Amino acid sequence: MSVTAAKGFRAAGVAAGLKSTGAPDVALVVNDGPNDAAAAVFTSNRCKANPVLWSERAISDGRLRAVVLNSGGANCYTGAEGFQVTHATAEEVARLNALSPLDVLVCSTGLIGLPLPQDRLLAGVADATTRLTATGGGDAAEAIRTTDSVSKQASVTSPHGWSVGGMAKGAGMLAPALATMLVVITTDALVDGPGLDSALRAATRVTFDRLDSDGCQSTNDTVALMSSGASGLAPDPVEFTAAVTAVCHDLAQQLLADAEGSEHDIAIEVRGAVSEEEAVEVGRSVARSNLFKAAVFGKDPNWGRILASVGTTSATFDPADLDVAMNDVWVCRKSTPAESADGIDLSGRKVGVVIDLKAGPATATVWTNDLTHAYVHENSAYSS
Amino acid sequence: MSVTAAKGFRAAGVAAGLKSTGAPDVALVVNDGPNDAAAAVFTSNRCKANPVLWSERAISDGRLRAVVLNSGGANCYTGAEGFQVTHATAEEVARLNALSPLDVLVCSTGLIGLPLPQDRLLAGVADATTRLTATGGGDAAEAIRTTDSVSKQASVTSPHGWSVGGMAKGAGMLAPALATMLVVITTDALVDGPGLDSALRAATRVTFDRLDSDGCQSTNDTVALMSSGASGLAPDPVEFTAAVTAVCHDLAQQLLADAEGSEHDIAIEVRGAVSEEEAVEVGRSVARSNLFKAAVFGKDPNWGRILASVGTTSATFDPADLDVAMNDVWVCRKSTPAESADGIDLSGRKVGVVIDLKAGPATATVWTNDLTHAYVHENSAYSS
């Protein structure tokens, strides 16, 4: 499991006192090679945190030797001083592990606008370095939790002998172009930078980018993929992309299941769109309807709120010819009531919505959560 | 006050049994002239309710003699049968009041996807017709309430002797390109169709269109403006537009104050934008951040969530040079923490946010509410 499922990686997670609770808050993942190829994708939010600004630079040559992550502070909107903390963190990882600072990706998560105490963070880096082991993936996954109720890990082993493993954190601010999350994926397959980049982009496009728990887009999102090449095996690119996608999908579903205060996981499948982009646009509009999400929390199959959301998009469809199903009951055909919604049981955690636009061949699924009292509670009390 | 503040109008509100509670649910406003010029704007949602489909046709010649409104059912996604109910309603108002059906605007509000009982609605129309009076505006305003806790009315009288009055309903699904609301505005000033249309569009653009309580856009929104000309006075166009805007602003603020479950009214002023459109885009992004809105509910001045929303827009600004104030405290200057947020008291209902993009001369204010337990409760229990 996790980032040490693949050979050639060591990891650790330690408590550095960044969290007032004393829980683990610094994680380190080191790639012992022989390969050092890597790829990463970042938040599309234009207000980027300091570690993202650093990491975009670090990954630009397609090579990484380590990823250092902290919870307990996002180091976002903390000014030039905050960037200096990120820089010092990369320098310290490099110094202690005999690497170049620009081969160190830095990730932070927590509150925005608060300074991150550099002395504690660097002491944590030193502590983590001494604890690095080939079985430390679980400790690392533990140390990146914020409001996550559980740590998230996944792995796939190819019948050809190579592996892909990963860890993720994220429970709120989950929205497009990456949820609010940090993800580190490792593989011992031998893949070069461009191969990793193309596999990672293909995988995130249909997994993390389709997750829209609360419509709020973070400033810190990072997904990194590193290859150690320690298996000595060069994978088939299609099989490799499928394996990375499987790990991303597994982690994305774990994020969904652990979203702050959620009681339902809602899959919104849009069919019959003229393009995948339009299918995603329609799915996302429903995923962002507070009224629809509150109705699901109330176990109310209120499909009118689905159509009201579809109508706000610019996708191609005939407003008088839409079909909608909830949990396989086609409550709406040709934009008029069809099968009775009375029998729809929304007591389970999984809810399925299908919207048929009848306009083309494309399809896409967007995942979201319901809007609950607990979501409001967690997010109104988070920093106070 | 209300739609009978202006001379030349009669109105009534009656209980027709559309609401299970027995509360008033049918309203009628008749223009006795001599003028019959009118204008109306409708939801930009592409999934439009049957009454909107009818009313777009009715207003196309710039003339109206009556508006009939019902609560207790939106008549949306009810198919050809539903359109027939709307058509029959207009016919009945016309027959009983000696008008042309195409001079009758029809508005409905309530749940989507449920048939509206035609016999009850037509009986309500007959009852309302017999009760029409020149002081019936209050009864009409009462009859269009859904989850509104109070009826909404406003009026302005010009020193020149003409008046503008209006009523509104709306408490949820409040979002752009009109909130979920029905509004009827009347005037005894003598204004032609194009003059009414231009005043109405100018007024709604800076009032109802800037209200974004929960990001959910309705299928039934209608704002109608009718001129009876009964004062015999032709107003100055600028003064008339200002009066219509004042009535719309007053009604919009009443909608905001009564939004479902809300505890705060939040004004988001964006300054320094290169255009009004960009200022609105930035304001709306913050108005739609569930995280920010939940923080306000929790009385937590979490300005990081404001910046995270600003960063999702395509507006022109330097991410490293943003200023943000909450209740006049500049918590963020040049995208770094400035004055302490500790002293910000969010216990009052009114909350003010100012965002300075420092990119241009344009400004706009968008209004929203906080995200509360009560919002989730009302909207999870609404139809069950």
Side-chain angles (χ1 to χ4, degrees):
Chain A
M1 290 287 280
S2 197
V3 292
T4 46
K7 288 186 287 286
F9 294 92
R10 287 172 301 143
V14 300
L18 303 175
K19 286 178 178 163
S20 57
T21 58
D25 46 22
V26 171
L28 183 60
V29 182
V30 171
N31 177 2
D32 289 324
N35 193 21
D36 64 357
V41 292
F42 302 96
T43 180
S44 60
N45 197 309
R46 292 167 60 203
C47 293
K48 296 180 205 301
N50 285 309
V52 171
L53 297 173
W54 167 267
S55 294
E56 286 180 335
R57 214 184 294 176
I59 194 60
S60 60
D61 65 351
R63 311 204 162 274
L64 288 180
R65 276 293 180 186
V67 180
V68 59
L69 313 93
N70 75 273
S71 49
N75 197 4
C76 182
Y77 285 110
T78 46
E81 220 166 292
F83 188 81
Q84 182 44 41
V85 172
T86 291
H87 189 186
T89 307
E91 293 272 3
E92 187 69 354
V93 171
R95 190 180 68 82
L96 294 171
N97 291 275
L99 312 171
S100 155
L102 275 169
D103 286 342
V104 180
L105 206 76
V106 182
C107 303
S108 299
T109 179
L111 277 180
I112 297 174
L114 293 183
L116 201 54
Q118 176 170 321
D119 50 345
R120 291 187 192 181
L121 182 51
L122 297 194
V125 166
D127 188 20
T129 301
T130 65
R131 293 172 194 266
L132 286 166
T133 69
T135 55
D139 290 345
E142 199 60 39
I144 59 175
R145 285 172 51 188
T146 53
T147 56
D148 305 69
S149 71
V150 291
S151 64
K152 283 99 177 168
Q153 307 173 57
S155 64
V156 164
T157 298
S158 159
H160 298 105
W162 49 265
S163 295
V164 177
M167 67 178 183
K169 92 97 212 169
M173 241 194 201
L174 288 174
L178 309 190
T180 292
M181 48 181 216
L182 303 179
V183 179
V184 178
I185 303 165
T186 53
T187 182
D188 48 23
L190 188 60
V191 187
D192 63 9
L196 293 172
D197 191 68
S198 116
L200 184 62
R201 287 180 193 276
T204 55
R205 193 175 65 85
V206 295
T207 56
F208 299 121
D209 280 353
R210 298 278 166 90
L211 203 60
D212 198 333
S213 175
D214 66 359
C216 293
Q217 192 186 47
S218 145
T219 50
N220 289 55
D221 296 337
T222 302
V223 183
L225 170 59
M226 294 190 286
S227 158
S228 70
S231 70
L233 300 163
D236 170 74
V238 173
E239 190 197 342
F240 181 68
T241 297
V244 173
T245 303
V247 168
C248 288
H249 180 75
D250 189 339
L251 292 172
Q253 294 299 313
Q254 291 182 52
L255 294 175
L256 190 70
D258 196 30
E260 286 170 352
S262 66
E263 296 197 359
H264 292 86
D265 298 341
I266 309 169
I268 302 160
E269 181 190 339
V270 180
R271 298 178 187 166
V274 298
S275 68
E276 192 177 322
E277 288 68 31
E278 292 201 355
V280 171
E281 182 196 359
V282 169
R284 206 179 291 291
S285 78
V286 177
R288 291 192 175 178
S289 166
N290 279 351
L291 288 175
F292 167 68
K293 290 149 69 88
V296 171
F297 168 57
K299 304 181 181 61
D300 172 12
N302 193 325
W303 56 269
R305 293 175 178 178
I306 297 173
L307 286 176
S309 294
V310 173
T312 64
T313 70
S314 59
T316 306
F317 61 82
D318 174 357
D321 191 19
L322 293 167
D323 291 0
V324 174
M326 292 188 75
N327 282 3
D328 301 320
V329 178
W330 288 91
V331 288
C332 176
R333 294 274 194 193
K334 293 183 187 294
S335 299
T336 48
E339 295 176 51
S340 167
D342 292 349
I344 298 176
D345 178 6
L346 297 180
S347 61
R349 186 164 177 100
K350 301 280 180 196
V351 174
V353 170
V354 181
I355 300 159
D356 192 343
L357 301 178
K358 304 187 203 171
T363 183
T365 299
V366 172
W367 290 276
T368 189
N369 296 107
D370 51 346
L371 178 61
T372 68
H373 289 299
Y375 176 89
V376 175
H377 177 73
E378 262 197 68
N379 286 298
S380 59
Y382 182 78
S383 81
S384 44
Chain B
M1 290 289 277
S2 197
V3 290
T4 46
K7 289 186 288 287
F9 293 93
R10 288 174 298 143
V14 300
L18 304 174
K19 285 177 178 164
S20 56
T21 58
D25 46 22
V26 172
L28 183 60
V29 182
V30 171
N31 177 3
D32 290 324
N35 193 24
D36 64 356
V41 293
F42 302 96
T43 180
S44 62
N45 197 309
R46 291 168 61 204
C47 294
K48 295 179 204 305
N50 285 308
V52 171
L53 296 174
W54 168 267
S55 295
E56 285 180 335
R57 215 184 292 177
I59 194 59
S60 59
D61 64 352
R63 311 205 160 275
L64 286 181
R65 277 294 181 185
V67 180
V68 59
L69 314 92
N70 74 273
S71 50
N75 196 6
C76 183
Y77 285 110
T78 47
E81 220 166 293
F83 188 81
Q84 182 43 42
V85 172
T86 291
H87 188 188
T89 306
E91 292 272 3
E92 188 69 353
V93 171
R95 189 180 69 80
L96 294 170
N97 292 277
L99 312 172
S100 155
L102 276 169
D103 287 342
V104 180
L105 207 77
V106 182
C107 303
S108 299
T109 178
L111 276 180
I112 296 174
L114 292 183
L116 201 52
Q118 177 171 319
D119 50 343
R120 292 187 191 181
L121 182 51
L122 298 194
V125 166
D127 188 19
T129 301
T130 66
R131 294 173 191 266
L132 286 167
T133 70
T135 56
D139 290 345
E142 200 58 40
I144 59 174
R145 285 172 51 189
T146 53
T147 55
D148 303 69
S149 71
V150 291
S151 64
K152 283 101 177 169
Q153 307 173 58
S155 64
V156 164
T157 298
S158 160
H160 297 106
W162 48 264
S163 297
V164 177
M167 65 178 185
K169 91 98 211 168
M173 239 196 203
L174 289 174
L178 309 191
T180 293
M181 49 181 215
L182 304 178
V183 178
V184 179
I185 302 164
T186 55
T187 182
D188 47 23
L190 189 60
V191 186
D192 63 8
L196 295 172
D197 191 69
S198 113
L200 184 61
R201 286 179 194 277
T204 55
R205 192 175 64 86
V206 295
T207 56
F208 299 121
D209 280 355
R210 299 276 167 90
L211 203 60
D212 197 333
S213 174
D214 67 358
C216 291
Q217 191 186 49
S218 144
T219 51
N220 289 54
D221 297 337
T222 302
V223 183
L225 170 60
M226 293 189 286
S227 156
S228 69
S231 71
L233 300 163
D236 171 74
V238 172
E239 190 197 342
F240 181 69
T241 298
V244 174
T245 303
V247 168
C248 289
H249 181 74
D250 189 339
L251 292 173
Q253 294 298 315
Q254 292 183 50
L255 294 175
L256 189 71
D258 196 29
E260 287 171 352
S262 66
E263 297 196 359
H264 292 86
D265 299 339
I266 309 168
I268 302 159
E269 180 190 340
V270 181
R271 297 178 188 167
V274 297
S275 68
E276 193 178 322
E277 290 67 35
E278 292 200 355
V280 171
E281 181 195 359
V282 168
R284 208 181 289 293
S285 79
V286 177
R288 291 194 174 177
S289 166
N290 279 351
L291 287 175
F292 168 67
K293 289 147 71 88
V296 172
F297 169 58
K299 303 180 181 62
D300 171 13
N302 191 324
W303 56 269
R305 292 176 179 178
I306 296 174
L307 286 175
S309 293
V310 174
T312 64
T313 70
S314 59
T316 307
F317 62 81
D318 174 358
D321 191 17
L322 293 167
D323 290 1
V324 175
M326 291 188 76
N327 284 2
D328 301 320
V329 178
W330 289 91
V331 288
C332 176
R333 294 273 193 194
K334 294 182 186 291
S335 299
T336 47
E339 294 177 51
S340 167
D342 292 348
I344 298 177
D345 178 8
L346 297 180
S347 60
R349 185 163 177 101
K350 302 280 180 195
V351 174
V353 171
V354 180
I355 301 157
D356 192 343
L357 302 178
K358 304 188 203 171
T363 180
T365 299
V366 172
W367 291 275
T368 190
N369 297 107
D370 52 344
L371 177 62
T372 68
H373 289 300
Y375 176 90
V376 174
H377 179 72
E378 264 197 65
N379 287 298
S380 60
Y382 182 78
S383 82
S384 45

